[in-house]
Amino acid sequence: PVSVGMSMDIASIDTISEINMDYTATIFLRQRWMDERLCFDGNKSLSLDGRLVEMLWVPDTFIVDSKRSFLHDVTVENRLIRIYPNGTVLYAIRITTTVSCSMDLTKYPMDKQTCTLQLESCKT
């Protein structure tokens, strides 16, 4: 198994829809793991073009309860791949996602809602 470290920043919460019971957010997702096959001599990291991600193994992370999501691609895909000499890979992407959120509006306007943003990975 590969141990993957993950961090996420929420850039914005764009909409909250009581009618559709969902919210839309833009996030920056960063994942880090070690791939010994990518070790190289040197003391500086290499930043790769985002299009090269097709040639690397990346975690199969997905957003639980996502109704729709997209990766930003203006003017190029918003992906960062950085490889460090010891084989550590940093993979960062910008995603906008609309996620289901079951809301209890019975106490409106004095209600309080808790919406989660969960990430998981498929295990094979």
Side-chain angles (χ1 to χ4, degrees):
V2 176
S3 179
V4 178
M6 202 173 340
S7 67
M8 176 176 57
D9 289 325
I10 298 175
S12 64
I13 296 177
D14 304 314
T15 60
I16 300 171
S17 174
E18 298 85 4
I19 295 169
N20 296 323
M21 296 280 184
D22 62 23
Y23 69 95
T24 301
T26 298
I27 62 171
F28 291 98
L29 175 63
R30 287 174 298 284
Q31 299 175 95
R32 185 182 298 260
W33 65 92
M34 177 80 75
D35 188 337
E36 295 173 359
R37 301 171 299 177
L38 299 174
C39 292
F40 61 91
D41 291 327
N43 57 5
K44 293 186 177 182
S45 63
L46 298 174
S47 292
L48 303 178
D49 186 303
R51 292 173 290 193
L52 293 176
V53 74
E54 312 278 326
M55 302 174 81
L56 297 174
W57 176 87
V58 295
D60 53 359
T61 307
F62 65 93
I63 300 168
V64 177
D65 295 327
S66 175
K67 292 181 172 182
R68 60 193 160 276
S69 299
F70 67 90
L71 300 177
H72 291 259
D73 59 2
V74 175
T75 59
V76 294
E77 286 187 343
N78 290 191
R79 297 192 215 197
L80 166 75
I81 302 169
R82 184 168 288 147
I83 301 175
Y84 294 88
N86 67 352
T88 297
V89 179
L90 171 66
Y91 177 54
I93 54 178
R94 182 168 68 129
I95 305 168
T96 294
T97 184
T98 300
V99 183
S100 291
C101 177
S102 294
M103 299 180 197
D104 179 4
L105 305 171
T106 56
K107 295 182 181 177
Y108 180 83
M110 303 305 285
D111 60 325
K112 225 184 223 189
Q113 305 303 323
T114 301
C115 295
T116 61
L117 181 59
Q118 297 177 0
L119 302 175
E120 290 185 5
S121 179
C122 293
K123 294 183 181 182
T124 56

